[in-house]
Amino acid sequence: MRAFFFSVLNYFLTPAGILAMGILDASMVFFLPLGIDFVVIVMTARKPELFWLYALLATLGSLIGAAGTFWIGKKAGEKGLSRFVRPRRLARVKARVNRGAVVVAGLALIPPPFPFTPFVLAGGALGMQPWSFFSALGIARALRFGVEAALAYRYGSQILRWMKTPTFQAVVGVLIALAVIGTIVSAVMVYRGSKVRAARAAATS
């Protein structure tokens, strides 16, 4: 099992893997708290001279994934938000989205477990202007990943030593287990939401 976990990890510890993790991290289905941050930091620790590239790839992947979530929200509309966001949280999400793209994108600076995806979804559903939103989001993500890469550039040797410890292996195992469980739960919620929308569309047609 440990060999499987690390084979999965090694896939994401590549330039293409950072891009893929960024896309997955901003999607509605995939769930792995701090996954993209973890990959950026480890990759920079291994090759500090490419810290700028890893921050850029993470930002690009995050924007691509967020675009998919934004589009789903646009298709779902305001009425469909309740199928993806819990009612207790929905009012707070709407209130922040109504304050504008810069406010919502600024929330992207907050690391997990802060749930940012519902705000992207609501942005699409409530008709937020895409260019202003994604411009602000790109700046926020670049700042976050850039700071992480810069710190890893500075403290890379300590990070590499930590990666050789049993503690690091345990952390990786826990993260991947969380990813599997969380992704399954998220996929079920999205599937149920799509079924409800399909049933409503059939009833009104």
Side-chain angles (χ1 to χ4, degrees), residues 1-14 16-18 20-21 32 38-39 43 46 163 168-169 172-173 176 180:
M1 186 63 70
R2 179 179 296 180
F4 171 74
F5 283 166
F6 276 87
S7 66
V8 173
L9 174 64
N10 287 331
Y11 169 77
F12 287 110
L13 294 180
T14 63
I18 292 179
M21 178 62 79
L32 180 56
F38 181 83
V39 169
M43 283 292 290
R46 287 182 170 181
M163 289 176 61
F168 174 80
Q169 298 179 12
V172 171
I176 295 180
V180 172

Side-chain angles (χ1 to χ4, degrees), residues 57-166:
L57 289 173
T59 300
L60 178 60
S62 184
L63 289 174
I64 294 173
T69 301
F70 190 91
W71 180 83
I72 292 173
K74 186 174 181 179
K75 290 296 183 181
E78 185 173 356
K79 293 183 179 179
L81 274 178
S82 60
R83 294 297 169 184
F84 300 105
V85 184
R86 294 177 181 177
R88 290 184 298 176
R89 180 183 297 169
L90 185 56
R92 295 195 301 271
V93 170
K94 286 183 177 180
R96 292 196 178 184
V97 169
N98 288 332
R99 292 174 64 185
V102 174
V103 173
V104 176
L107 298 174
L109 293 171
I110 305 175
F114 179 80
F116 180 67
T117 301
F119 294 92
V120 180
L121 189 71
L126 298 178
M128 185 173 284
Q129 210 286 326
W131 285 110
S132 61
F133 174 72
F134 283 101
S135 296
L137 179 60
I139 293 172
R141 289 300 199 190
L143 178 60
R144 172 175 156 183
F145 298 134
V147 169
E148 291 174 349
L151 290 173
Y153 180 91
R154 174 65 178 82
Y155 299 103
S157 58
Q158 292 93 317
I159 294 172
L160 292 177
R161 286 197 295 270
W162 177 62
M163 289 176 61
K164 298 177 181 180
T165 65

